[in-house]
Amino acid sequence: MIVCHCEVVSDRDIRKAVDDGACTLAQTCRATRAGTGCGACVFGVRAVLETYTRQDHITLHEPFEETDAATQPPRRRVA
Ligand code: FES
């Protein structure tokens, strides 16, 4: 699913950025270029991060915990 239409960034790209070491929303946006155009997708990027890392209320620069999210089932269904 495309999350950022300006930069054509998918939820898979966002999860890969986390797996490659992105630890904040800002780092994830920088790594994928999501949110660097109009900025409308940042809430969607955050939602993907919250689901993937199994954390709520991720802020722009606050580090989120790297988890073994890739090996855990999603907490809620991802469309
Ligand atoms: S939709 Fe992501 S920057 Fe515009």
Side-chain angles (χ1 to χ4, degrees):
M1 167 184 69
I2 297 298
V3 177
C4 175
H5 292 274
C6 291
E7 297 295 333
V8 192
V9 178
S10 69
D11 56 330
R12 186 177 306 173
D13 297 324
I14 293 166
R15 291 191 299 269
K16 183 178 183 318
V18 173
D19 291 343
D20 289 346
C23 299
T24 65
L25 175 57
Q27 288 176 358
T28 304
C29 288
R30 202 172 308 124
T32 61
R33 298 195 47 79
T36 61
C38 70
C41 61
V42 172
F43 293 106
V45 175
R46 183 177 69 179
V48 172
L49 287 175
E50 288 177 345
T51 300
Y52 190 53
T53 63
R54 303 168 60 91
Q55 295 176 41
D56 291 328
H57 310 297
I58 289 175
T59 59
L60 188 60
H61 295 291
E62 185 174 323
F64 49 80
E65 289 181 31
E66 290 186 67
T67 65
D68 52 348
T71 62
Q72 298 176 3
R75 182 174 46 182
R76 56 184 179 240
R77 188 177 178 95
V78 178

